[in-house]
């Protein structure tokens, strides 16, 4: 499989690390910060590009969007127009979420968002407390 990771900060780097650990090697990265691209290339041996459209036009199998939430929609638009499935970090902007869902449906593309908080120990504990009705009713 061919992966394109957009955003090479802590989450993008984590995604690359996971892909490498799973045995994938056809990974290209992009970030608006040149130093991040150089560091990730050196550390993980992946390819980097200076223009995301170059890689998107090569039709990777999956695009991983690990940018700040304000840039998610821009890259989701690129992915869906080329009909490339995508993974994105959690987006906190409700209007963007609505548009991302609509784009996925319009172009019939699978897109999925990170659910990192679902597995957080505090969230698990809150769920347990609520399920055991130890705090009264939830309104």
């Amino acid at each position: 499989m061919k992966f394109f990771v957009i955003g090479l900060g802590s989450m993008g780097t984590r995604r690359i690390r996971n892909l490498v650990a799973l045995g994938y090697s056809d990974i290209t990265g992009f970030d608006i910060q040149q130093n991040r691209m150089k560091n990730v290339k050196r550390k993980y041996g992946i390819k980097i590009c200076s223009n995301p459209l170059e890689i998107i036009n090569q039709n990777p199998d999956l695009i991983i969007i690990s940018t700040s939430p304000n840039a998610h929609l821009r890259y989701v638009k690129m992915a869906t127009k080329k009909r490339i499935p995508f993974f994105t970090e959690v987006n906190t902007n409700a209007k963007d979420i609505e548009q991302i869902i609509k784009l996925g449906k319009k172009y019939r593309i699978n897109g999925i968002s990170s659910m990192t908080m679902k597995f957080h120990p505090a969230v698990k504990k809150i769920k347990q407390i609520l399920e055991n009705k130890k705090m009264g009713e939830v309104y």
Side-chain angles (χ1 to χ4, degrees):
M1 285 189 73
K2 189 177 354 179
F3 297 91
F4 181 35
V5 181
I6 302 173
L8 303 176
S10 62
M11 293 311 294
T13 301
R14 171 184 277 179
R15 306 300 177 209
I16 291 168
R17 197 170 49 245
N18 291 342
L19 290 170
V20 170
L22 290 169
Y24 294 104
S25 60
D26 196 350
I27 306 166
T28 303
F30 166 78
D31 197 285
I32 58 173
Q33 294 184 30
Q34 293 292 318
N35 63 326
R36 284 184 179 174
M37 288 197 295
K38 289 176 186 174
N39 290 339
V40 170
K41 180 180 180 179
R42 179 182 40 80
K43 189 168 185 174
Y44 298 101
I46 70 165
K47 296 170 273 191
I48 57 169
C49 73
S50 57
N51 181 350
L53 284 175
E54 288 176 20
I55 303 304
I56 290 173
N57 286 332
Q58 293 177 20
N59 295 314
D61 296 300
L62 180 72
I63 295 175
I64 298 172
I65 303 165
S66 293
T67 63
S68 58
N70 66 331
H72 290 176
L73 185 57
R74 173 181 343 142
Y75 296 114
V76 167
K77 285 179 179 178
M78 291 179 186
T80 55
K81 286 179 183 173
K82 293 292 284 185
R83 291 183 161 72
I84 302 169
F86 64 90
F87 167 89
T88 182
E89 303 300 337
V90 172
N91 192 307
T92 54
N93 184 331
K95 288 181 183 176
D96 283 357
I97 293 169
E98 288 174 20
Q99 282 192 293
I100 289 169
I101 292 168
K102 285 179 184 176
L103 285 166
K105 287 179 180 178
K106 176 181 177 181
Y107 291 101
R108 295 180 179 199
I109 291 300
N110 289 327
I112 191 163
S113 176
S114 172
M115 292 287 293
T116 308
M117 286 301 292
K118 179 179 180 179
F119 304 103
H120 192 281
V123 174
K124 285 182 175 182
K125 184 66 176 175
I126 292 167
K127 183 176 186 273
Q128 179 186 19
I129 290 168
L130 293 173
E131 285 176 346
N132 293 329
K133 302 183 189 281
K134 292 186 177 183
M135 288 197 61
E137 290 194 45
V138 176
Y139 294 100

